[in-house]
Amino acid sequence: MADALALGLADPGAGTRPRVVAERLSYGYRRGVRVLDEVDVALHPGSVVALTGPSGRGKSTLLYLLAGLLRPWSGTVRIDGVELARLDDRHRSLTRARTCGFVFQDVVLDPRRRVIDSVLEPALYAGESPERWRPRALELLAAMGVALQADSRPGEVSGGQAQRVGLCRALLLGPSVVFADEPTGNLDHDSTEVVLAALEGAARGGAVVVIATHDDRVVERCTSHVRLA
Ligand code: ADP
Ligand code: MG
């Protein structure tokens, strides 16, 4: 691998077939300026993978590529053998909604929606009834310590609360892959614990969890590590 160094720790997924496989992945935002150069990664069910590297190195970009939110210049990403980039828009967004949860680095909640409706939105993308998922959404909000915010509008929610709401939204449908982009960046120690416990719980349930982070405490808790040099 040219651009990423994979360091296997005590990875519970080792030995299983990888669920997310990227091969020779290259991408840049501007012609001639390559952010990622021939990156290879293979991520296993049950793993919590730390993705590290200096700011501006391409961690968020790699997460977007793995989730099919960006199309690579070259190379492939497969999730359970399916190459999202080759699907048409409708199938790509449906497959992503059913497979992937994504916590964005700066969670911005839709100002027109109540918090609970933002959490339920992935059900709509997955072609399911949000009502069916309401009990689970409320359970996640309670576990994340933001149940009181369920009926709030985003203006009444702090940055750290929005980040946890974003995690509830990402976990709603029990995705088989969870991408979390610096999910503890705005959080104090206790909230960091709650978020890590939820992500570890998803991995114990069989998901692949990828966490882009600068936080050494988070890296220590992960079961494997991909470092962008
Ligand atoms: P990281 O998450 O590791 O901080 P990013 O993936 O956000 O890094 O960014 C990698 C590089 O791509 C940086 O040089 C950044 O300035 C550039 N970049 C990120 N997003 C865009 C964009 N939308 N348009 C142009 N350049 C971008
Ligand atoms: Mg980033």
Side-chain angles (χ1 to χ4, degrees):
M1 71 180 58
D3 211 7
L5 181 62
L7 306 161
L9 307 177
D11 190 347
T16 61
R17 182 202 285 262
R19 174 170 295 146
V20 180
V21 179
E23 289 177 322
R24 306 190 67 175
L25 207 53
S26 297
Y27 185 81
Y29 292 92
R30 282 182 294 143
R31 211 186 155 98
V33 184
R34 203 172 274 256
V35 173
L36 297 173
D37 188 25
E38 306 226 322
V39 170
D40 290 324
V41 288
L43 310 176
H44 296 261
S47 307
V48 183
V49 183
L51 173 59
T52 64
S55 284
R57 182 59 193 83
K59 299 180 296 298
S60 298
T61 304
L62 180 55
L63 293 182
Y64 299 151
L65 287 163
L66 295 177
L69 294 165
L70 290 174
R71 217 180 277 265
W73 278 359
S74 60
T76 56
V77 177
R78 289 195 179 79
I79 299 182
D80 287 327
V82 176
E83 202 179 336
L84 283 180
R86 286 191 180 267
L87 302 177
D88 62 45
D89 286 353
R90 197 174 71 83
H91 283 99
R92 189 170 56 251
S93 62
L94 196 62
T95 306
R96 187 190 304 118
R98 289 180 177 165
T99 316
C100 300
F102 204 111
V103 188
F104 290 90
Q105 184 163 355
D106 296 302
V107 174
V108 179
L109 299 171
D110 184 339
R112 295 162 305 181
R113 288 196 164 81
R114 291 177 311 151
V115 160
I116 180 72
D117 296 322
S118 284
V119 175
L120 288 170
E121 202 179 17
L124 291 174
Y125 292 137
E128 301 204 19
S129 144
E131 278 318 303
R132 205 191 124 208
W133 291 94
R134 185 176 294 270
R136 160 118 174 125
L138 292 171
E139 200 178 284
L140 283 166
L141 287 166
M144 233 59 80
V146 283
L148 290 177
Q149 278 73 31
D151 289 319
S152 303
R153 303 274 167 184
E156 304 156 32
V157 173
S158 75
Q161 288 169 340
Q163 216 162 21
R164 281 173 285 157
V165 169
L167 180 59
C168 295
R169 176 187 160 97
L171 295 179
L172 181 75
L173 303 178
S176 56
V177 190
V178 181
F179 299 103
D181 197 352
E182 303 199 25
T184 61
N186 291 320
L187 302 183
D188 60 28
H189 179 271
D190 289 352
S191 300
T192 295
E193 272 307 308
V194 168
V195 165
L196 281 178
L199 290 169
E200 287 170 339
R204 270 198 306 280
V208 177
V209 176
V210 191
I211 310 177
T213 186
H214 289 287
D215 186 339
D216 288 339
R217 285 170 312 166
V218 175
V219 176
E220 277 168 26
R221 291 271 285 270
C222 290
T223 60
S224 62
H225 188 172
V226 172
R227 186 147 61 198
L228 291 175

